[in-house]
Amino acid sequence: MESISLEDARRVIAAAEDKAHEIGQPMDIAVVDDGGHLRAHVRMDGALIASIHISTNKAYSAIALKMETKNLVELTQPGQPLFGLSDSAGGRIVVFPGGIPLTRGGQIVGAIGVSSGTVEQDQEVADAGAAAF
């Protein structure tokens, strides 16, 4: 299986960083490989320290579950079928927007995770990074 290259990871981060600058929100931006291991990360000036791990875990979640983390919001609410999912995998699963798998030729080869803004801003910046892939 192919995994994301460092060059690709840097391009994804650069596009996400450009979007973060455009909207005026410093971000933590992480890209992981197909195994969920960190490939590249940037913490923009002013981004939240807590978001270093959150951004990495959003990317990990997108790989581990093979879906955008925004798709988990409704499914993980109390009374829903996946309630408690965020407690699995040692607490690494993130169930709110900002994590997106990166695919090539129909295969997931990596993922981006973004954190430090509102959930809408995180998703917007993640979308920009994913679009550059």
Side-chain angles (χ1 to χ4, degrees), residues 95-109:
V95 296
F96 45 90
I100 303 174
L102 303 172
T103 60
R104 179 177 284 134
Q107 296 288 328
I108 297 174
V109 298

Side-chain angles (χ1 to χ4, degrees), residues 10-96:
R10 286 179 173 158
R11 185 175 65 253
V12 168
I13 285 177
E17 195 173 1
D18 286 348
K19 178 54 85 173
H21 281 297
E22 180 184 313
I23 66 172
Q25 177 59 54
M27 295 285 191
D28 282 279
I29 306 161
V31 173
V32 298
D33 65 16
D34 60 333
H37 305 287
L38 187 62
R39 191 70 171 115
H41 180 271
V42 114
R43 183 171 152 249
M44 297 172 67
D45 293 341
L48 300 173
I49 292 170
S51 291
I52 295 168
H53 296 292
I54 296 169
S55 63
T56 304
N57 287 342
K58 284 183 182 185
Y60 170 82
S61 299
I63 283 287
L65 300 172
K66 299 181 180 182
M67 65 184 338
E68 290 195 39
T69 58
K70 72 178 183 179
N71 296 335
L72 296 167
V73 174
E74 295 300 321
L75 295 171
T76 57
Q77 297 302 308
Q80 295 304 310
L82 296 180
F83 178 67
L85 179 67
S86 60
D87 295 330
S88 64
R92 288 200 69 192
I93 301 297
V94 178
V95 296
F96 45 90

